[in-house]
Amino acid sequence: MDALRKIERDHLRIDIPQFRAGDTVNVHVRIIEGEKERIQVFKGTVIKVRRGGTDATFTVRKISGGIGVERVFPLHSPAIERVEVVTEGKVRQSRIYYLRQLKGKAARIKPRNTMGRK
C-alpha cells in the first residue's frame, strides 16, 4: 500500500484553500467547448466535503433562476483552476442537506466569527 500512497501523493493538489460545509466559495472551472477553453465561475454554498486522498470531492449548491443547482467537484481535478473562499459560514453539521428544503431568507447561513470565539 505504501507504493500506492506515494503515487497518490504526487497527484494531490496543495493550492486549494481550506474550507468546510457552510462556506460560500467561487469555483473556477475549465470548460472545454470544441477547440475553445474558457473559465466558468460556480459560486455557491458548500453543503458537503468528502475527504479521501485523490477521491476527495465537495458539493456546492446555488440558486439559479429560482431553482437549486448542486454540483459535485473532484477536489484534486485538473479541471478546477482555483477555489476562492468568499465567506465562512457557521453551521453545526458537516452535511447541510437541510438547505434543500429551505427557501429565501430561511436558507441564509450566519457568518463565522474567525477572530474571537467560535
Side-chain angles (χ1 to χ4, degrees), residues 50-92:
R50 185 177 147 259
R51 308 286 179 194
T54 55
D55 295 343
T57 61
F58 62 101
T59 305
V60 180
R61 178 179 175 83
K62 73 174 183 176
I63 304 298
S64 178
I67 298 173
V69 178
E70 291 183 9
R71 189 160 174 196
V72 180
F73 295 100
L75 188 63
H76 302 289
S77 171
I80 295 177
E81 183 175 313
R82 70 179 191 265
V83 177
E84 299 173 345
V85 179
V86 179
T87 60
E88 296 179 343
K90 182 179 180 182
V91 294
R92 297 173 66 181

Side-chain angles (χ1 to χ4, degrees), residues 15-60:
D15 61 335
I16 304 291
Q18 291 290 323
F19 58 88
R20 57 189 189 184
D23 294 352
T24 302
V25 294
N26 284 338
V27 183
H28 296 258
V29 186
R30 286 189 188 95
I31 304 292
I32 300 172
E33 296 172 336
E35 297 175 5
K36 295 182 181 179
E37 181 178 317
R38 64 184 176 90
I39 303 296
Q40 184 177 22
V41 180
F42 192 91
K43 180 179 182 177
T45 304
V46 177
I47 64 169
K48 177 174 103 170
V49 178
R50 185 177 147 259
R51 308 286 179 194
T54 55
D55 295 343
T57 61
F58 62 101
T59 305
V60 180

Side-chain angles (χ1 to χ4, degrees), residues 1-2 4 6-9 13 15 27 29 34 49 58 61 66-67 72 77 80 90 95 99 105 107 112:
M1 283 306 262
D2 288 330
L4 184 60
K6 285 181 184 178
I7 294 170
E8 244 185 27
R9 199 175 331 139
R13 293 182 59 172
D15 61 335
V27 183
V29 186
V49 178
F58 62 101
R61 178 179 175 83
I67 298 173
V72 180
S77 171
I80 295 177
K90 182 179 180 182
R95 308 278 197 264
L99 282 183
K105 289 185 178 181
R112 187 169 59 215

